[in-house]
Amino acid sequence: MTKKALTLEIIQRLKQAYPAAACTLSYDEAWKLLVSVRLAAQCTDARVNVIVQDLYQKFPTIETLAAASVEEIEEIVKPCGLGHSKARDISACMQKLVTEHGGKVPEDFDALLALPGVGRKSANLIMGDVFGKPAIVTDTHCIRLVNRMGIVNGIKEPKKVEMELWKLVPPEEGSDFCHRLVDHGRDVCTARTTPHCDRCVLDDICAHNI
């Protein structure tokens, strides 16, 4: 089976196994997803979803958050870890949205990358989940699983994995496929325990077992 054929088969099987896969960060506006994905670095989505409630209660708009001091933001977000650097990035990002983008999240990948604290993973998440555009989010689950499954071989650098996946994954499938990899990586193809291959829908085609 070619890598392309393998990828398409995996996409279809995961689509059946996880039909409702979606981002697990809670948000109702694009800028809030930007904030949450920055806070999610080395922190669980569940914890971030709790912490941001206090943040948005005190700073309910881009403008109020942009006007807040780094110290005020840090005081709220520090339970997420790396509090100062995350608060600094969030403050600078919101200020740039206000001063350069009219208080709106830009619908352009390069413009997103130019925002403080926004890397390729975050920019792709925004492009896919907010704007419905082709996107591939190479988080730790994605990188681990596509290597284990044999879609890529021994590539661990996020951008290189992303570039390989663009060659194999249909553009319209990328965003949902990455969300399904997260679900599968949490439930079945786990990192900290032995993978549960006995209940995996990919057991017969996964390179890990062949």
Side-chain angles (χ1 to χ4, degrees), residues 29-128:
E29 295 180 73
W31 67 272
K32 292 182 179 179
L33 183 55
L34 268 179
V35 170
S36 288
V37 73
R38 181 64 188 95
L39 292 175
Q42 298 182 39
C43 183
T44 65
D45 290 0
R47 177 178 284 272
V48 171
N49 289 339
V50 172
I51 299 302
V52 293
Q53 293 178 32
D54 292 335
L55 185 67
Y56 301 145
Q57 184 172 14
K58 188 168 184 179
F59 307 112
T61 65
I62 288 181
E63 290 75 17
T64 55
L65 191 53
S69 70
V70 171
E71 290 72 24
E72 287 177 303
I73 298 171
E74 182 180 358
E75 181 64 27
I76 297 172
V77 305
K78 62 184 178 182
C80 293
L82 304 174
H84 186 72
S85 63
K86 290 179 180 181
R88 184 189 60 219
D89 286 344
I90 289 169
S91 174
C93 182
M94 296 301 110
Q95 289 175 26
K96 192 164 185 173
L97 289 179
V98 170
T99 59
E100 298 185 16
H101 298 285
K104 296 184 181 298
V105 176
E107 195 172 336
D108 176 81
F109 188 79
D110 290 332
L112 287 169
L113 279 182
L115 295 172
V118 177
R120 296 189 67 86
K121 182 179 79 170
S122 302
N124 270 299
L125 186 66
I126 296 292
M127 292 298 287

